[in-house]
Amino acid sequence: MRFLSGLPGFVSASLRSRVSWVFVTALLSSLLSISAESQTQSVAGLLVSRADLTTAATSAEVAATTGDPADRARNAMIAAAIRQRLRDGDLQVGDRVVVTVTSDAVHRDTVVVRSGPSLELPGRIVVSVAGALRSELQERVSTEVLKYVKAQQIEVTPLMRVGILGAVTRPGYFAFASDIPLTDAIMGAGGPTGTADVERSVVRRRNQQFRSAGETSKAIASGLTLDQFGLSAGDEIVVGQRREFGAGTLLAITGALASVLALAVTLRK
């Protein structure tokens, strides 16, 4: 698992093992309901390429022309969001990027996207990120850094600030590496609570549902990353809550049924 909140860091192998087991247990019912075909989708850990996004946008545009009106509207919104990513890129002013340069020593810095948009690296190396996707950031930064530094290795990790809300232990907003699976992002908020229903999870964007419960549960079971699922900074993953009937609800239902039966008897008379 790799997620970052505040300063970059890496979870130990033993913690990763324990966290993975806890989350697998919480998702067991969801995993059993997802077909084997959906579980063999995109490989997690990869950023989404321009070609992938273009294909996804075209598919969403086609889906927006048929079917249920609500589905058409959601697909149209998804297509428009993808087209905007392709046009404007992924990086916004205020976003953070972790850059690790290995030369004579390992130099790791977290830099903030400035107006332009651009990144200003140590040594006054300015990298324009206008129109760049997160998947294109590694090559763009490496090209500029190698003009000034003889580096053996350059690693670029774009961070994405997203909300993990709903039935999780520590709901809030977190800065994650954008190539981590949705499961890792949820675990970054402490994991699902005992009353969580992951199959009812959705993604919200600007207070509107961006991804349905069906789409989100399949993406979680398939191991999709934040980037592969089309999330952007500011989006919210809302983990669903299991529906439970309390004593008050049960009494209300019983009373309603009694009233219906009494009414039926009266009408028969």
Side-chain angles (χ1 to χ4, degrees):
M1 176 189 304
R2 186 180 65 164
F3 59 83
L4 298 93
S5 181
L7 294 177
F10 298 92
V11 180
S12 68
S14 60
L15 177 58
R16 184 187 305 117
S17 177
R18 292 197 300 272
V19 165
S20 298
W21 174 251
V22 171
F23 196 77
V24 167
T25 302
L27 288 180
L28 184 58
S29 61
S30 175
L31 290 172
L32 291 176
S33 66
I34 305 299
S35 68
E37 180 180 356
S38 68
Q39 295 181 34
T40 58
Q41 292 178 358
S42 304
V43 178
L46 300 176
L47 298 178
V48 180
S49 69
R50 190 168 292 273
D52 291 335
L53 286 174
T54 300
T55 300
T58 302
S59 297
E61 287 164 349
V62 171
T65 61
T66 59
D68 180 82
D71 290 337
R72 292 204 304 267
R74 187 172 65 255
N75 284 316
M77 181 171 65
I78 291 173
I82 295 174
R83 292 298 182 190
Q84 183 178 9
R85 284 185 69 184
L86 290 168
R87 182 180 65 251
D88 301 335
D90 286 329
L91 282 298
Q92 304 172 18
V93 174
D95 287 350
R96 291 182 294 163
V97 179
V98 180
V99 180
T100 304
V101 178
T102 303
S103 52
D104 55 328
V106 177
H107 306 276
R108 178 176 297 156
D109 297 278
T110 301
V111 294
V112 178
V113 177
R114 302 181 181 276
S115 60
S118 64
L119 296 174
E120 184 173 342
L121 307 180
R124 295 189 177 183
I125 302 174
V126 178
V127 182
S128 171
V129 294
L133 300 174
R134 285 183 286 268
S135 59
E136 299 167 338
L137 200 55
Q138 173 78 37
E139 181 179 357
R140 190 170 293 200
V141 171
S142 297
T143 299
E144 289 301 315
V145 170
L146 290 173
K147 291 179 181 178
Y148 306 95
V149 179
K150 291 183 178 180
Q152 287 79 50
Q153 183 177 356
I154 300 172
E155 182 179 354
V156 181
T157 305
L159 304 184
M160 183 190 299
R161 186 174 182 271
V162 297
I164 310 296
L165 308 175
V168 291
T169 304
R170 296 189 301 274
Y173 281 81
F174 303 85
F176 295 117
S178 59
D179 63 347
I180 69 167
L182 295 168
T183 50
D184 285 12
I186 293 173
M187 287 311 305
T193 63
T195 59
D197 184 353
V198 179
E199 290 188 353
R200 293 170 56 83
S201 302
V202 299
V203 173
R204 290 193 311 221
R205 174 172 293 177
R206 291 188 288 273
N207 295 322
Q208 290 185 325
Q209 182 175 297
F210 179 64
R211 292 287 194 180
S212 69
E215 293 170 324
T216 304
S217 62
K218 286 183 179 180
I220 290 172
S222 301
L224 296 191
T225 67
L226 301 179
D227 218 351
Q228 288 170 335
F229 199 39
L231 269 64
S232 296
D235 285 351
E236 298 170 338
I237 301 174
V238 184
V239 177
Q241 182 81 31
R242 186 170 65 242
R243 288 178 176 173
E244 295 182 348
F245 292 106
T249 304
L250 184 58
L251 287 174
I253 293 175
T254 303
L257 288 174
S259 298
V260 171
L261 289 174
L263 180 60
V265 171
T266 301
L267 291 175
R268 286 190 176 184
K269 292 180 179 180

